[in-house]
Amino acid sequence: MTTGQFGSRSAAAFLAAIFSAAIQDGAQAQTALDLPTIDVRGGAGSLTVPGTDIAREAIQRTPGAVSVVPDTAFRQSPAATIKDIVDYVPGVFAQPKWGDDTRLSIRGSGLSRNFHLRSTQLLMDGVIPINTADGYGDFQEIDPSFYRYVEVYKGSNALRFGANALGGAINFVMPTGYDAPRAQVRVDAGSFGTIRTQGAAAGVNGPFDYYLSGSVSRTDGYRDHSDGHAARFSGNIGYRFSPDVETRFYLNANTVRQRIPGEVDRTTALTTPERGWSDNLVNDWQRNIDTVRLANKTTIRLDNTVIDLGVFAIDRRLMHPIFQWLDYRYREYGAFARAVDDRSIGGFRNRLTVGVNVHNGENDARQYANVGGQKNGLLSALKQQSQNYSAYAENAFYVLPQLAIVTGLQYLHAVRDQKVVFSANGDVPGRSDFDLWSPKAGLLYEIDKDWQVFANVSRSQEAPSFGESVAPNFMNPALPTLRFFDIRAQRATTFEFGTRGRRGEDFTWDFAVYRSQIRNELQCFYSAFGNCNVTNADRTIHQGVEAAVGATLWKGIAVQAEKPDRLWLNVAYTYNDFRYDGDATFGNNELPGAPPHYVRAELLYKHPSGFSFGPNIEWVPQAYFVDSANTLKSDPYLLWGLKAAYENGKGFSAYVEGRNLSNQTYIASASIIDRATPTSRLFNPGTGRALYAGMRMEW
């Protein structure tokens, strides 16, 4: 697929044809589809935290690509990283680096960020940000065993969280005392010295409910110098003042210690993947994190309106010996307010969502010389302040009972302010202010309660973080000087259309096609120390196809009953076409960092007793470039595994899973650069053959 074959004009014409037909079909229907107001906080459960079914029903009102991943999709597996959660969500590329760290990109977001995360907002319960105030994030603080379900909002579809970057938002939602077992114990163990234990307790006592969960884990790692251990805790306590008012307090705390093996050259990655980079070993590179997050969320339900109010505070310390010994202390705070009003206006259903968000913080950033993994002399001391104030509104007006016109607008005021206390690194003070407006418009056609067709056009904008800059250095003095306050905000206009739905338990689908036209994309244009220095590209294009299907291929194989056995196929396919658009340096080259095609599939035999068994594959059929000059590629691969699981429905479950059973050497992910050579150290080897097993007991 070339850029010309998938242009915005053809997309607009296609959208017009689809929805013209949809309106005619709706007008000709003999009986209007009854779409009553959805009470997203109804039932006997928590008012502040909707259950999985309610969340799935509510998210389907979004005129764009979104997904709810229930814990049933990932709890019967090692579920150690975010990859285990989102691997079957098309459009999301999540690949391991080392330990719990992952390279995550949604629709090509953040590909130039070779360390940490950019362009996707991570949240806990829609309240607590995992990202720092300037936008970057880490995955080591995420424990999949804590969550009831996970919501994925791509791009501007994440407007309700104030997220306004190309990747959108991922929301990790914990259970409450209303929907969790009274007690739970879980143990997982497997290859490379991996072991994890987790315990949880929950309950309801009058107006109070609570959910508390903690885990400890350790691993020796597949590669040299990749061992780590962690202790994590998450909990919430709710109080119901009345049937229509509930408040909930949150505590999240993490202690993570993780060594970093480092990227290696392509030959090493494919021949001796266990090896770490020598400098990582000599100077004991690590990423260690201590965090405490506190938050409160209160929900008030009126006749036709639901109001959410929340506050949070975060204390986070990053202890990070790499090329220098980074000692960063983040102190952040924020608040949000959101109201959803769903009522009939002049005989037409109308749903209005309005909200505001504040996320501010300061980073006391100190860097020291790293000698053998020890601090050895202060090199810089910076005070980095970030401020983010956003307001948004979205309205869905149903011109027909089954057809909604959705419009929205978000405003973001962002500040990045750096003060230099001391610097031998050449740091300079500076400040950036951004005022960013992002409109959107879309259509949502609900063919029936389980089948939607959608389309939208939206604007997303992203303020840069402190990590974006270019400066000369002794290894490459020819570099230009582009300080962080010279970097412009990234802006994307996205056209999207698709459909999602299900037919009972036997067939589900999720399909979307999109095109993002981007200005000032944060991209790699200059190299220093073998890494990418990020600044603004001129014009780039991200476009692709996202498709997921779940289908019963054969039912009643050996059990002929009300609940027969079945053969279940689950497939997720992503097509990526990311490229420069007439760039002065790189022309129409492909953007580096993501494969053109990515396939995940599993075939499971499911018995009504709770037993399941079957193979799965992970397939990257075509290598991708790792540099903007398009001179060096990764390597295609096909991995296969087997999994058997049992869940008796009475509180006991167990699984055994084998991964990469052919023990193939492969490149799981890669950092990117502007111009690579065959010896460029950019590649993260994938893990070899591995076997895991686990069991869970609930009371």
Side-chain angles (χ1 to χ4, degrees), residues 264-340:
V264 294
D265 62 81
R266 188 178 187 275
T267 299
T268 301
L270 295 175
T271 56
T272 53
E274 299 92 344
R275 288 180 55 188
W277 182 31
S278 58
D279 194 48
N280 285 47
L281 278 63
V282 170
N283 287 312
D284 197 14
W285 286 31
Q286 303 176 44
R287 187 187 297 171
N288 304 323
I289 301 171
D290 290 335
T291 52
V292 176
R293 293 180 172 89
L294 297 171
N296 172 263
K297 180 182 180 182
T298 299
T299 298
I300 304 168
R301 181 171 54 192
L302 305 176
D303 289 341
N304 298 98
T305 307
V306 174
I307 300 172
D308 292 322
L309 305 170
V311 295
F312 63 86
I314 302 169
D315 185 274
R316 184 178 192 271
R317 188 180 181 192
L318 173 67
M319 296 154 286
H320 198 12
I322 47 175
F323 74 99
Q324 293 180 355
W325 213 108
L326 279 56
D327 191 347
Y328 290 179
R329 188 68 177 265
Y330 300 86
R331 293 179 175 89
E332 302 188 347
Y333 64 91
F336 77 91
R338 178 174 59 245
V340 181

Side-chain angles (χ1 to χ4, degrees), residues 71 197 360:
D71 63 343
T197 60
N360 295 341

Side-chain angles (χ1 to χ4, degrees), residues 49 117 193 599 657 671 689:
V49 184
L117 167 75
V599 180
E657 181 173 353
S671 295
R689 182 187 295 115

Side-chain angles (χ1 to χ4, degrees), residues 189-200:
S191 300
F192 320 119
T194 300
I195 186 167
R196 181 181 61 183
T197 60
Q198 183 242 349

Side-chain angles (χ1 to χ4, degrees), residues 103 108-113 118 468-470 487 490 518 520-526 532-540 542 578-580 583 586 590-593 627-628 672-674:
R103 183 169 177 79
S109 64
L111 288 176
S112 63
R113 189 69 159 179
R118 187 184 57 225
E468 276 71 70
S469 64
V470 182
I487 309 299
Q490 175 179 297
I518 306 174
N520 302 324
E521 180 171 2
L522 298 169
Q523 266 296 337
C524 173
F525 268 67
Y526 307 101
C532 176
N533 285 249
V534 172
T535 184
N536 298 112
D538 184 11
R539 293 178 299 172
T540 55
H542 292 210
F578 310 147
R579 61 185 64 249
Y580 291 99
D583 186 77
F586 299 116
E590 295 179 22
L591 293 176
D627 65 334
S628 294
I672 73 162
I673 203 167
D674 55 338

Side-chain angles (χ1 to χ4, degrees), residues 609-624:
S609 67
F611 172 76
S612 61
F613 171 80
N616 58 75
I617 65 166
E618 177 177 328
W619 187 24
V620 174
Q622 184 176 339
Y624 55 92

